[in-house]
Structures are given as C-alpha cells and as structure tokens.
Amino acid sequence: MPSEQTFPLFQKALAHHLAGISGLKGIHAFLREDGPWQEAARLGKCDIDAAEPVLERFAPDGGGSVAAIEDAEGTGDAAAAWLASYMLGAPGLDLVVLLRLEGLGPAELQGQLAQVEAKVGWLMLAALSDRSDQVEDIALGTEIGAQVLLDAASARSRRQLADQWIARLERALSPDLIAVTWMKAGRPKLLALSGGGLVERNSEARSQVEALADHAVEARTPLLIAAEKTPDPDQLRPEEADLPDPATQSAAEEELARVAALGGARGVAMPVYEGDEAAAVVVAVWAEGSTAGDLHPEAVDLLARVLGETLAIQGRAYPSILRRLGNWCFALLRKVFGLTAWKIKLFCVLLALTVGVLSQWPTRYEPDFSARIEAQDRRVISAPFDGFLSEAPYQLGDVIAPGSLIVAMEDSDLVLQVAQITSQLGEISSEIQTARAQRDTARVQSLEAQARQVRVQLDLAEQQLQQARFTAEATSAVVGGDAWRRVGGRVRLGEALLELAATDRFRLLVFVDEDWIADLSPGDQGTLLLTAYPAMPIAVTLDGITTDPQLRDGRNTFAAWMRLDQLPDVTLLDGMRGVVRVDAGETTMLQAYLRGSLRWLRRSLWRWGL
C-alpha cells in the first residue's frame, strides 16, 4: 500500500509509551519544521476543531494544560471527559500532542497526566529520529541524481539511459529487482531489467511490472508499496471516519499482491515525467527481510525529478532525425548569411530582388472595419397626454403586422368627458331655440358664443380619445422602449413608450479607423460578412462618413453609413454585427505591407522638422 507515514518511529513511540494510560480515548499529534503544522498521528476520538486554537497559541516552553469537555457522550456529567494538551519545542522541530481522556475524576486525572508528561520527551526524540532518517534519504537521492546526470550525456539511446539508471539505483538502493518501463501510446512497456533479463518476451513478471507502472502513471505520484503492520492490541484504533477509502484500500492490496508475485515484500513505482506527460516508470522491489528500500517520499520525488532532467540531457545530446535536419538547415543559413563580403552581397541581392518583385506585384487596398446593421426608418411612439397605460402587447424584437394595436391609453375619463360636453352642448342648443322664440337677440348671441367654446372643448376631447390608441400603419419591429413593462403605470405627455423600425429597410453603420479616412470616398464598394451568416457575403456601397468621432478599442474611429445594394434572402435584424471590407483602390504588395510603417515614418519626420 502507499506509505503515508511520514513519522513511523514517532507513531510507534505513541503506541508504546501511551498505551498504558488509563481512560485514554484519543490522540491527535502535530509536528512542525520551519513551515505549517503537519498532522503526525490521529487515533481514536479526535476533535479536529479543538486542535486549531491550541496550535495558534503554541509556545516552545508552553508545557501542558487540561480542560473539561462538556457533557461527553450525553452523560450530563461536565467532567466525564478531558482534553489535555502538551507543547514542546526542540531545535528545528515543534511538537503538540492532544489527548482525550474519559471516565476519570480530578484526582485520578492528575496521576495519569503526570505519566503522560514523563513520556513527552521520549516522543520528541522519536520525531527527531524520523527527521534524521528523512534527511539521510534526501541526501542519498541527491547523490544518485548527480551521478545519473553526469552519465546521461553519454547515452546514445533511451535503452542505454535506462541501463544507466538501473546500474546507479542497484548500487545505491540494493533492490532485489529493478525495471524501467517506457511509455508507448499511453501504456508502459518494459524496456530494461536488472540482471540483463529478457524484456522482449511476454511473461508473468513482465505483466506485473507493467501493471505496477500503469498504477503509478494513473496516480501521477510515486507509489511506496509495503504491507500494513499488525496493530498492537493495546493501541488506539482510528475512528471510522479516518479509515481509508475502500477503493483506495483495494488498489493498495492489488499493488502489494503484484509486488509479492515478483518475489518481494516492498516496492517502489516511480513515474518519470518529460514536461507534463509521463515518459517512463522505474519499478524497484525488495524481498522480505531486506534492510534497504525504506525510502522517504520526498527522497523518491526528488529522485524522480532528477531522472526527468536526464531525459532532457540525453535528448539534447542525441537529437532525433527531424531535429538534426533542422540544425543542419540553420547551420546552412548561417553560413550563407555570414559576415564575409560575398555573403553580404548575396543577401543584399536577394533582398533587392524580393523588394522588386513585391513592388511590381499588383493588389488592392481592402481594409476591414467593424459594422452594425441599423434599421433605416424609425418611429417613436410617445404618450399623447398624461394618463395611465392600459395596453402594450408587443415586446422588444416583436414584429407588428399592419393594423395591429401597438399601445393604448386608459380612455374611460375621456369617454365620460366627451359625453358630458355633448350633453352640455345639447342644453345650450335648447336654450338658443328658446331665446329665439322669445326674440331675445342679446341672449341668443351670448348662447351661440358659449356653444362655440363648448364645441372647441368637444373637438379637443374627441381628438385625445382618437390618440389614445395607436395602430401600426405598416409592418414594423420593436427595437426600443419598454412600454410592455409599464402597463398600468402613469406616463407623462411626450414620454417615449416604444421605438419601431421598418423590417425591410436597413443600412450599415461602419466604424472607420481614422488612418483610412483620407483613402475612402462616397461610392466605394465593399463586402459585408455578418456574424450570423458567415457564409453569405453582402455587397455594400459607402454613402458618406460622418463627423462623429468615437474611441473604440483604444483607436479613434468615425461613423460611416453604407447602403446594402441588395437585401439578402435571409432575416436581417436591427443590431446585427459583422465585418465590412472596403475596396480602397489599387496598390502594390510592397505598399500594402509597408503602408502603416511609411505613414508612421512620415509623421515622425514631420514632427522632428525633417
């Protein structure tokens, strides 16, 4: 199984020295060496949240402390469980141990804590011993790596490089079996084997080695494979939440079985990377009872990185055929265009010939600009009077058929007002007839003047009533406004409600770079390619350039209008974007490529007064 015990001796010391502590239910230990805290052991019941504040207030000479845990296991007894912590600092290494004790009274607790305090020094010695072994492993990996790097440049092939790896690793690590597999088509294939065994012939051992290499490539990390030690009966068991994942446990058992099939008890599968992809995997196996092979993960990782560097060294020393061909071409060019006089002349002749050909090669200026489709006929529907909006059935983007209702104002008050004015006008007419019958000329004239005033009010009210409903005169599309959101709300006289545009009349708004203003004129032809229809070019003609400057993408541009010579057989919508290429006249290939540089040079010379 993959070895995750960074402090194996420290964990053994925990089990040995603290196994006899009465009431001990959980151990949580942390170690730190010039960096963040690292969890060294977690056994039994451990409260992870309780560890953080203890680690934050760490002091090298902090000693021990104890605190009661409220209502442990629902017993209602405030002193049923205790959390004891011990802090100890040594040169280069800090230690914090958290202990959970249950079922102890204060007097008995004091005796047990005294026993724990007497053992803390032994735990620190075990942790320092683990660190010493780790440093030795890293030094060993560095020594092996230095030797392999020196040998890499002499390997004429990857097979020779693999043999060098085996020779150096056999001398340093003393494995019972070591093999190098090479990645081909994403799968590891056996390339070299210690002892000069046959690698071309299929066998059970070859299958096991390639399977271990495949596991290491999938894990993307070195695999340290070893059997689990039989737990001490008195040692604390990990909580169920800390148990390994069943899938991970099954994979570890499978890896251990493959090592056993190769005749070993421990093993290492170390992927070697070339860039981001695994290029090879080194597999080493040690038999039962072997004193070698107990490597630290950091040493294995360092060794894998060094072996990866040897791949780059060997590749540079003996490049592939394609790379050799490229080096030869580069050397040839360097010889032709060297520093001797005839070579300089040859270069000048070739350059002049190239410039002459480009200066005679005809082409056309065709600058491209960003563009947007704009509806040509637009109409704004505004509120005819102060009131409430009662109907607005169309939203942004909808197409309105001729004769359809666009918006309607609330007109019940206007209808009532028209009825009242009509009734008033009838009353005045009756009074005029009565006055004429009585031959009262003065009253007749007064009533006729009053009737004319009332008729003006009636005409105004009827006109407002007619304007309360807007209908579409032609097919239109909604391109602006938000009347459909304001139905039932109050609007003011002249307030814009909707913006309509004709669906069959469009023009093109183009943003022309200021650098091309002098080269374009009305009537120039162009081609439009819309984002929505990338396979359908549309012919356009420049109508004119406006005087409205706009800053777009850090460049000064001017809006220009272009007309569509013929509407395509597709649905155009207001706001569609695309790119337009304008024919700006004939030129040569040389002028087309150097146009920007020449304009910059002219401006610079003028600025300098030359």
Side-chain angles (χ1 to χ4, degrees), residues 28 64-67 69 82-86 97-101 109 113 116:
H28 208 179
S65 64
V66 64
I69 301 176
W82 309 87
L83 179 64
S85 64
Y86 286 89
V97 180
L98 301 178
L99 305 173
R100 181 186 178 95
L101 301 102
L109 175 65
L113 293 180
V116 173

Side-chain angles (χ1 to χ4, degrees), residues 69-85:
I69 301 176
E70 295 292 337
D71 195 17
E73 297 184 353
T75 61
D77 186 0
W82 309 87
L83 179 64
S85 64

Side-chain angles (χ1 to χ4, degrees), residues 148-403:
V148 171
L149 287 173
L150 292 175
D151 296 339
S154 62
R156 301 184 64 88
S157 64
R158 294 294 173 93
R159 176 62 182 269
Q160 292 184 9
L161 183 64
D163 291 336
Q164 291 179 3
W165 291 357
I166 291 176
R168 293 298 183 183
L169 294 177
E170 276 187 329
R171 185 179 306 173
L173 304 180
S174 302
D176 295 277
L177 173 69
I178 187 167
V180 176
T181 64
W182 208 257
M183 300 300 295
K184 293 183 179 180
R187 306 295 298 180
K189 299 296 181 182
L190 188 61
L191 180 67
L193 196 65
S194 60
L198 295 177
V199 298
E200 304 297 337
R201 183 183 304 169
N202 291 327
S203 64
E204 178 65 21
R206 175 176 179 173
S207 300
Q208 301 295 346
V209 169
E210 292 178 351
L212 286 174
D214 196 28
H215 286 187
V217 172
E218 291 180 357
R220 296 189 66 84
T221 184
L223 298 180
L224 303 182
I225 307 167
E228 288 186 342
K229 296 179 175 57
T230 304
D232 189 341
D234 297 328
Q235 186 177 353
L236 292 175
R237 300 292 191 271
E239 291 187 292
E240 184 175 353
D242 298 331
L243 294 176
D245 181 68
T248 304
Q249 187 72 15
S250 176
E253 293 175 356
E254 181 183 352
E255 294 161 5
L256 187 60
R258 296 188 184 280
V259 170
L262 294 171
R266 289 176 297 166
V268 172
M270 179 172 53
V272 180
Y273 286 87
E274 189 173 22
D276 294 333
E277 299 295 332
V281 181
V282 178
V283 178
V285 175
W286 291 265
E288 184 70 33
S290 175
T291 58
D294 191 9
L295 298 176
H296 193 274
E298 293 185 12
V300 176
D301 186 63
L302 173 62
L303 184 57
R305 291 200 299 269
V306 173
L307 294 180
E309 291 296 329
T310 64
L311 295 176
I313 294 174
Q314 194 274 337
R316 289 193 295 267
Y318 296 95
S320 63
I321 296 178
L322 292 178
R323 186 170 181 179
R324 293 178 186 178
L325 180 60
N327 293 339
W328 179 82
C329 293
F330 177 75
L332 179 62
L333 292 175
R334 186 172 56 183
K335 289 180 179 179
V336 172
F337 302 107
L339 300 179
T340 58
W342 71 270
K343 295 176 182 178
I344 295 177
K345 293 178 181 179
L346 177 60
F347 172 75
C348 293
V349 169
L350 294 176
L351 180 61
L353 181 62
T354 303
V355 172
V357 171
L358 293 179
S359 63
Q360 300 299 320
W361 195 329
T363 185
R364 303 187 69 84
Y365 281 131
E366 290 186 336
D368 58 90
F369 312 107
S370 59
R372 184 176 68 234
I373 292 290
E374 295 280 347
Q376 191 167 357
D377 294 337
R378 291 176 177 266
R379 177 189 177 192
V380 177
I381 305 298
S382 304
F385 50 81
D386 293 348
F388 293 90
L389 189 63
S390 63
E391 293 183 58
Y394 295 102
Q395 301 183 11
L396 193 65
D398 290 346
V399 177
I400 305 174

Side-chain angles (χ1 to χ4, degrees), residues 91-108:
L93 191 65
D94 298 327
L95 169 65
V96 172
V97 180
L98 301 178
L99 305 173
R100 181 186 178 95
L101 301 102
E102 296 183 2
L104 300 177
E108 188 177 4

Side-chain angles (χ1 to χ4, degrees), residues 102-148:
E102 296 183 2
L104 300 177
E108 188 177 4
L109 175 65
Q110 185 175 2
Q112 298 300 319
L113 293 180
Q115 296 183 31
V116 173
E117 188 172 4
K119 304 293 185 179
V120 171
W122 293 104
L123 298 180
M124 176 59 80
L125 288 177
L128 290 173
S129 178
D130 280 328
R131 275 296 150 196
S132 177
D133 293 342
Q134 176 183 344
V135 171
E136 292 177 0
D137 283 346
I138 294 177
L140 177 62
T142 304
E143 180 183 358
I144 299 172
Q147 296 170 351
V148 171

